[in-house]
Amino acid sequence: MRTPTRAQVKVLKSLQNRSVTVTSMLAEATRHQQQTGHRPPQSWYENFHDHAILREELTNAAHAAGVPRAWIDHVRERGQRGVSWRADLYLRTPDAVDWNQVLSSLDVDVQRLREWTALAAAYGPIGARAEISVAAGFDRNLRVLRSRTAGVANLLGLSVEQGDQLWGAESDWVAAGVAMVDGVPVEGLAQRWRQAARADTRVYALQATALADAGITIDTAVALPSHEQLGPPISAALTPLQPLFQPAATPGEEIETAIGAANLTYNADTDAEIAIGAPTFSDAPGTDPWTSYQSPSDVPAAPPIWQGIEL
């Protein structure tokens, strides 16, 4: 590959121009300090930090999407010399991209996205009623993960057909999501849901923002089914949730259960003093809750099916 794609051009242009901005801000701060003897105001530091961190995370997102390192380094160096992007400027000849590493890393995010999407369908409505703040954190993290994953897929330029080859069609996503959560007790789902809500996605949020600022679409990707496509069919395919431990019965409930198990009846026409017969009590048959528990397994790595994919 010798010529950048349209999406890569957008990112390289943004990287070069952000580097120009960072360099000029540093020069401005140096002049200010030399002329006044004072450091720049706090607002300068905040503004500089925003530009610098977005440049770094755009660089990281570009690496994640297989943009050649030679191109990334080249445009950053130009920007640091104060040269803004120009389409007629050449780019260094790039080395070969390690597509196995690029797509393997993206696959990790896709598998996490599948699990979190399935958790949203299986436990999201329950969690939203029980723990509002945690639900907000989960929804935010799921949105960030989906945005960054879509942005990288779009920067890669993955098509519908390539997405199907890598991760299957929409029905495959549904089946994989159901397999991740179906049969897991509600307590297990709650634990995984809370862990997802506590995950630190700040870096991915910055990368998604930087990609969007560069003109890369992050809300949808043709290689990935949308959240709206996956949620309803996953919910419809799940078996009803069951708790791992049944709540303890109250004394009144225990009496009602005992009466039902003994099959006792009261006949008003019969003397209450006459024993109808010795009641026989037995434990109601039940299933050991541990036997039905399915602990979540680690998501297996996808087979290297991308080796035959043209990118």
Side-chain angles (χ1 to χ4, degrees):
M1 180 173 56
R2 293 293 182 266
T3 304
T5 64
R6 293 180 62 184
Q8 289 173 336
V9 166
K10 291 179 179 180
V11 167
L12 293 170
K13 177 180 179 180
S14 182
L15 276 175
Q16 185 164 332
N17 291 341
R18 280 194 181 278
S19 294
V20 170
T21 300
V22 169
T23 300
S24 64
M25 289 186 70
L26 285 173
E28 176 191 347
T30 300
R31 287 194 301 270
H32 174 83
Q33 191 160 3
Q34 290 174 344
Q35 293 172 359
T36 66
H38 300 292
R39 298 171 62 185
Q42 182 63 30
S43 60
W44 180 92
Y45 287 97
E46 294 173 355
N47 193 22
F48 177 80
H49 174 269
D50 290 343
H51 283 288
I53 198 67
L54 284 175
R55 182 185 65 168
E56 294 311 306
E57 293 310 330
L58 182 58
T59 298
N60 292 333
H63 285 311
V67 179
R69 187 176 298 273
W71 291 350
I72 294 172
D73 293 343
H74 199 177
V75 298
R76 285 179 56 123
E77 290 168 10
R78 279 179 173 157
Q80 289 166 357
R81 296 198 305 269
V83 178
S84 298
W85 174 266
R86 281 172 41 195
D88 60 329
L89 295 178
Y90 79 98
L91 290 170
R92 294 171 185 155
T93 301
D95 296 328
V97 176
D98 186 350
W99 291 115
N100 185 65
Q101 178 180 348
V102 169
L103 292 172
S104 293
S105 297
L106 180 59
D107 182 67
V108 172
D109 288 332
V110 167
Q111 299 308 323
R112 185 179 295 113
L113 180 60
R114 277 178 164 171
E115 181 189 12
W116 288 9
T117 301
L119 284 172
Y123 188 78
I126 298 174
R129 293 192 297 269
E131 302 173 78
I132 297 176
S133 61
V134 179
F138 176 86
D139 292 343
R140 179 191 63 246
N141 283 351
L142 176 57
R143 183 172 60 254
V144 166
L145 177 61
R146 173 164 286 280
S147 296
R148 194 269 189 180
T149 305
V152 170
N154 288 331
L155 181 51
L156 268 167
L158 294 179
S159 65
V160 175
E161 292 75 19
Q162 289 168 336
D164 289 349
Q165 286 181 269
L166 288 167
W167 304 295
E170 178 185 330
S171 59
D172 299 302
W173 278 71
V174 172
V178 170
M180 288 177 173
V181 298
D182 199 31
V184 178
V186 66
E187 293 87 350
L189 292 176
Q191 181 182 22
R192 290 162 64 180
W193 179 78
R194 294 188 190 105
Q195 288 174 343
R198 292 193 297 266
D200 188 350
T201 59
R202 287 175 294 180
V203 168
Y204 272 20
L206 288 168
Q207 290 185 17
T209 298
L211 287 169
D213 288 350
I216 304 300
T217 301
I218 64 171
D219 52 350
T220 60
V222 295
L224 308 173
S226 70
H227 183 74
E228 292 72 23
Q229 289 174 296
L230 297 175
I234 290 177
S235 298
L238 293 173
T239 56
L241 294 179
Q242 296 295 331
L244 182 59
F245 298 104
Q246 295 294 338
T250 64
E253 291 171 337
E254 290 177 344
I255 293 173
E256 291 292 335
T257 301
I259 291 174
N263 196 25
L264 295 180
T265 59
Y266 174 73
N267 191 334
D269 299 328
T270 306
D271 190 345
E273 295 294 327
I274 299 176
I276 298 176
T280 302
F281 293 90
S282 63
D283 293 332
T287 303
D288 182 356
W290 289 103
T291 61
S292 61
Y293 177 73
Q294 299 177 4
S295 59
S297 60
D298 292 334
V299 177
I305 55 177
W306 48 75
Q307 292 180 356
I309 298 176
E310 293 291 334
L311 292 170

